[in-house]
Amino acid sequence: AQTVTQSQPEMSVQEAETVTLSCTYDTSENNYYLFWYKQPPSRQMILVIRQEAYKQQNATENRFSVNFQKAAKSFSLKISDSQLGDTAMYFCAFMKHVWTSGTYKYIFGTGTRLKVLA
Amino acid sequence: DAGITQSPRHKVTETGTPVTLRCHQTENHRYMYWYRQDPGHGLRLIHYSYGVKDTDKGEVSDGYSVSRSKTEDFLLTLESATSSQTSVYFCAISETNQPQHFGDGTRLSIL
């Protein structure tokens, strides 16, 4: 069974600094997708970045980038030049295609609460 | 933003009463999901749908049922609400191998 582990329940970072959130997962699949979602106090779930497992190049979206280590099953999120608006809960998620049912299975980590300090 | 509307946004009810939450999408996406979010547990899948009248259970389906009679609507029903079902409920939609997009959530309190 797939699992997603976020080992840092809470983190803080000074404004304008860089922070890295950790995520590890366990799977025997070769093809899958990984995502980071952000949940600010408004409760919305916002997609931050996605990574396809077959791509070696790490995904980047503006100040957000990932370090995808497929062999180590690690998918960390780096936030550069942290801003107060980055304060949120961050969830790592794993997705794969279930061939027997034709559906897609998503597994979420328990989240890391990030606070950006002024 | 993906067109997903959850209703109601907030609800307070009593133990033993039936409760129905609605998820409505305007994206014509095939897959729809219901999750609950609780502190320390992240998001846990309750039920999902892969087409009209096609649904299946997730990891925490006990005490919940779902229905999808139209592509755009996915209903979650608590047949007889219990205090352990107090939670924030999220609906999500997706298409093929795309990431899920979420509604704004429903905060449900069962007294």
Side-chain angles (χ1 to χ4, degrees):
Chain A
Q2 288 78 24
T3 59
V4 176
T5 302
Q6 293 180 250
S7 58
Q8 305 151 313
E10 294 185 353
M11 296 187 72
S12 62
V13 62
Q14 288 295 137
E15 198 174 6
E17 297 294 309
T18 296
V19 64
T20 299
L21 309 183
S22 301
C23 174
T24 58
Y25 58 94
D26 186 24
T27 185
S28 58
E29 303 287 330
N30 191 46
N31 294 318
Y32 50 88
Y33 298 78
L34 297 163
F35 309 100
W36 279 98
Y37 284 88
K38 168 185 177 182
Q39 187 180 40
S42 65
R43 203 170 71 196
Q44 285 181 294
M45 290 285 287
I46 302 165
L47 178 67
V48 175
I49 200 164
R50 65 177 286 176
Q51 175 80 42
E52 292 86 349
Y54 62 86
K55 289 187 177 179
Q56 292 186 335
Q57 186 173 6
N58 289 324
T60 299
E61 288 288 341
N62 301 313
R63 298 182 295 108
F64 299 86
S65 61
V66 298
N67 183 4
F68 173 49
Q69 301 289 330
K70 190 172 183 179
K73 297 179 183 175
S74 171
F75 183 60
S76 60
L77 175 69
K78 185 172 83 170
I79 306 174
S80 304
D81 185 25
S82 296
Q83 300 176 359
L84 297 177
D86 296 332
T87 292
M89 181 76 89
Y90 287 81
F91 291 98
C92 178
F94 167 98
M95 186 267 277
K96 70 162 191 173
H97 184 223
V98 181
W99 293 102
T100 52
S101 62
T103 60
Y104 290 83
K105 182 175 183 179
Y106 295 79
I107 305 292
F108 286 83
T110 53
T112 295
R113 187 175 302 280
L114 176 68
K115 187 170 185 178
V116 179
L117 306 172
Chain B
D1 290 345
I4 311 168
T5 304
Q6 288 186 234
S7 58
R9 291 296 312 281
H10 307 272
K11 186 173 182 65
V12 180
T13 190
E14 295 183 347
T15 301
T17 60
V19 177
T20 295
L21 307 183
R22 181 180 183 236
C23 178
H24 178 78
Q25 62 149 327
T26 58
E27 304 296 319
N28 200 35
H29 284 187
R30 178 182 176 189
Y31 303 99
M32 299 185 77
Y33 307 79
W34 277 109
Y35 292 90
R36 60 178 289 173
Q37 183 180 17
D38 304 289
H41 291 278
L43 288 165
R44 292 183 292 174
L45 182 65
I46 305 171
H47 282 279
Y48 65 98
S49 170
Y50 47 98
V52 173
K53 298 185 179 178
D54 292 323
T55 65
D56 205 350
K57 296 179 179 180
E59 62 181 306
V60 290
S61 60
D62 287 349
Y64 302 94
S65 62
V66 290
S67 66
R68 191 172 179 195
S69 58
K70 298 184 291 184
T71 298
E72 57 266 34
D73 289 326
F74 192 34
L75 304 180
L76 176 71
T77 298
L78 289 65
E79 304 289 348
S80 177
T82 68
S83 58
S84 65
Q85 293 175 312
T86 290
S87 187
V88 178
Y89 290 85
F90 283 95
C91 174
I93 65 173
S94 71
E95 193 56 64
T96 317
N97 62 349
Q98 299 303 307
Q100 292 178 322
H101 294 280
F102 289 82
D104 289 339
T106 294
R107 183 174 296 279
L108 178 62
S109 298
I110 300 165
L111 306 178

